[in-house]
Amino acid sequence: HRPFHPRRQPELHMELGNEPLVFGSRGTRTAASVSANYDGGIIVRRWAGTWIDFLVLLAIFMIPDAVLGNETYQSTIAVWLTLAALYFPVMESAFGKTLGKFALFIRVVGQDGRKPTVWQVVLRTLLRLIEVNPFLAGGIPAGLAAYFSKHRQRLGDMLAKTYVILDADARTLNGTPGH
C-alpha cells in the first residue's frame, strides 16, 4: 500500500466486467495507470512483436540481396543499413507502433497518451540495441525489466518516459484523441 502524499490524490480502482480500470488522481485514466494494471500478457505481446520486427529487419537486408544480386546489393549496402536504422524511429514516431506492434494491437505512447516524440523514440531505440538485441541475451534484459517494473516498462521506456499499451486502452485515455 502506498503512503499518503498530501499533493497526490489516491488512485481509484474499479472493475468493469472482468477488466479492472485504474484511474489516476481526479479520475483521469493515464498511460501509467493503465500499464500498471497489465499482467505478463503484455510482455508476451511485446516479445512476439519484437520477433516480427526482427523478421522485418531481416527482410530489409535479405530481399534486396535476392532481387538485386549480391554485387549490386553490396554496392548499395548504405541504403539498406539506413533503412534498418530508421525503421524503429520512423515507425514509432509516425504511428506509435512498428509492424510487430500493429500485428499485436499494441502501441507506444508518451506520458500524455499520445504518440512518442522523435527524441523519446531515439532514446528507446538506443537502449533497444542493448536490451533487445537477439545476439546479446535475446531480449532477456528487456523482459526482466518489464516484468519487474510497476508499469511493465523496459529500461528504454523508463528513460524515455514511454509506455507500451493495448490499442483498445489507448482509445480510452483521458485527454487524448481517439487513435
Side-chain angles (χ1 to χ4, degrees):
H1 194 338
R2 290 185 211 128
F4 176 76
H5 188 279
R7 297 178 118 176
R8 187 186 315 163
Q9 303 236 347
E11 290 183 338
L12 172 66
H13 295 267
M14 299 174 57
E15 297 250 346
L16 181 62
N18 292 332
E19 186 103 8
L21 297 176
V22 176
F23 297 87
S25 62
R26 298 191 184 130
T28 59
R29 192 158 194 251
T30 66
S33 66
V34 166
S35 63
N37 259 354
Y38 289 145
D39 61 14
I42 194 72
I43 297 168
V44 172
R45 281 185 191 235
R46 291 181 71 160
W47 175 81
T50 297
W51 282 99
I52 292 169
D53 291 330
F54 287 153
L55 292 174
V56 170
L57 292 174
L58 187 62
I60 288 173
F61 292 108
M62 300 292 286
I63 293 172
D65 188 24
V67 171
L68 299 174
N70 191 262
E71 189 176 321
T72 303
Y73 170 73
Q74 286 186 15
S75 68
T76 59
I77 193 69
V79 171
W80 315 117
L81 288 170
T82 302
L83 282 175
L86 292 175
Y87 173 70
F88 288 102
V90 169
M91 293 294 292
E92 289 183 347
S93 61
F95 304 106
K97 47 176 63 185
T98 59
L99 293 177
K101 288 179 183 68
F102 269 110
L104 292 154
F105 306 102
I106 56 178
R107 70 178 62 226
V108 181
V109 296
Q111 290 177 308
D112 60 1
R114 298 178 189 276
K115 289 184 291 193
T117 65
V118 172
W119 177 243
Q120 286 174 306
V121 173
V122 167
L123 285 174
R124 291 181 87 248
T125 301
L126 289 174
L127 264 82
R128 179 183 283 120
L129 294 173
I130 298 164
E131 289 184 279
V132 193
N133 189 322
F135 304 109
L136 301 174
I140 292 171
L144 289 173
Y147 182 78
F148 289 108
S149 74
K150 177 181 176 183
H151 299 287
R152 302 293 183 225
Q153 296 169 292
R154 62 180 181 80
L155 298 175
D157 291 315
M158 292 177 209
L159 182 64
K161 296 181 173 67
T162 57
Y163 304 88
V164 175
I165 62 174
L166 299 173
D167 285 345
D169 288 332
R171 290 187 286 274
T172 65
L173 296 180
N174 291 48
T176 60
H179 295 296

